[in-house]
Amino acid sequence: ALSTEDVILRWHRLYKGTLLTQRYLSPELRKDLHETHIEAVEETAKVWRKRLFDISWFMRALNEYIARAANKEDDCTGHFWEGRFKSQALLDESALAACMAYVDLNPVRDKVAKTPETSDHTSIQYRINAARVGKTPKRLMPFVGNSNQAGPQGLPFTLPDYLQLVDITSRYIHPNKRGKVDHSLPTILERLNIEHEQWLTLTTQFETCFKQAAGKVVHLEQYAHNQHQQRVQGRQNARRLLG
């Protein structure tokens, strides 16, 4: 059987231990310990002895090590709030369009609003209100159409295309506003090479489909390389949803 000293030494290889157990292992410091302190160390060693032989405790320690390594690689802490409030890098036009529509359709999806123009606190409502009076919102990046065209920096779509796309998508999402639109989705999806079914998945489950970054597979691979990550997160969903 392991002695008390052996148990403490093995535990210290895995964890820091306590100040008392550290002093207990030092012959010079142990002689100054009170009898109650030594008893406390021995009781602690009994608990550690059971844990060292406990397969469940071993799996717990192993899982914690793997989780910490994964968090370090992904540059996150794994804390409660970080898992719920996060940002994602949008690596290409497909991811940008899907994320914009996903956010703008939040109120419709949650049945807080029936239409995009009645969705309070969304950028699309702000753009619609500005367009009604012939203005362009100064606080939002403008639409500049095809990104291959020369011109000012902005969103690589046209405003009418985006408004039509979000409006038609909302009819699919809202249970009381369904519509047959397979033939009428704007060319923005054709240019982005996104199928209609894939688009509906993106605009309803975007945050669950992508974690750190969103984009086509080639862009996710480049992102992982630049971030020195061994794993390419979201590869399967990117291939399935964005082509």
Side-chain angles (χ1 to χ4, degrees), residues 41-163:
V41 170
E42 292 175 346
E43 289 298 320
T44 300
K46 290 180 181 179
V47 175
W48 290 352
R49 184 190 301 273
K50 292 180 180 179
R51 290 178 178 177
L52 288 173
F53 286 94
D54 188 344
I55 187 64
S56 296
W57 192 268
F58 169 76
M59 292 304 301
R60 173 187 179 277
L62 180 62
N63 289 336
E64 180 181 355
Y65 171 80
I66 295 174
R68 288 182 182 275
N71 287 339
K72 183 178 181 180
E73 180 180 308
D74 296 340
D75 192 26
C76 67
T77 63
H79 288 172
F80 177 85
W81 289 112
E82 184 176 35
R84 287 156 177 77
F85 296 92
K86 54 185 178 295
S87 61
Q88 295 148 319
L90 304 179
L91 306 180
D92 50 40
E93 295 180 6
S94 302
L96 175 62
C99 185
M100 287 177 58
Y102 174 80
V103 174
D104 280 334
L105 287 172
N106 264 332
V108 174
R109 192 167 52 250
D110 293 338
K111 301 179 182 179
V112 177
K114 293 184 178 181
T115 61
E117 62 268 23
T118 60
S119 302
D120 293 334
H121 314 298
T122 60
S123 64
I124 193 167
Q125 185 193 54
Y126 190 55
R127 293 184 190 279
I128 291 173
N129 291 339
R132 283 172 173 168
V133 294
K135 296 182 178 180
T136 300
K138 295 182 179 180
R139 292 183 294 174
L140 299 176
M141 184 169 287
F143 288 89
V144 296
N146 193 319
S147 58
N148 294 325
Q149 297 176 350
Q153 183 179 7
L155 300 171
F157 322 113
T158 66
L159 177 60
D161 270 358
Y162 180 72
L163 294 180

Side-chain angles (χ1 to χ4, degrees), residues 124-230:
I124 193 167
Q125 185 193 54
Y126 190 55
R127 293 184 190 279
I128 291 173
N129 291 339
R132 283 172 173 168
V133 294
K135 296 182 178 180
T136 300
K138 295 182 179 180
R139 292 183 294 174
L140 299 176
M141 184 169 287
F143 288 89
V144 296
N146 193 319
S147 58
N148 294 325
Q149 297 176 350
Q153 183 179 7
L155 300 171
F157 322 113
T158 66
L159 177 60
D161 270 358
Y162 180 72
L163 294 180
Q164 182 186 10
L165 178 64
V166 174
D167 176 61
I168 294 174
T169 305
S170 73
R171 297 175 189 272
Y172 266 125
I173 295 175
H174 200 282
N176 298 325
K177 203 168 183 287
R178 303 284 181 173
K180 296 181 179 180
V181 294
D182 287 350
H183 63 283
S184 60
L185 281 172
T187 56
I188 180 175
L189 288 189
E190 296 179 4
R191 180 162 62 84
L192 297 177
N193 195 29
I194 301 178
E195 297 293 335
H196 300 171
E197 293 78 8
Q198 297 168 341
W199 175 253
L200 291 177
T201 301
L202 287 168
T203 51
T204 55
Q205 305 173 34
F206 186 85
E207 286 184 292
T208 60
C209 293
F210 300 100
K211 302 301 181 183
Q212 284 191 333
K216 295 183 181 296
V217 174
V218 62
H219 297 138
L220 286 179
E221 292 174 344
Q222 185 62 45
Y223 177 84
H225 175 75
N226 294 338
Q227 297 296 319
H228 306 290
Q229 297 177 354
Q230 296 181 357

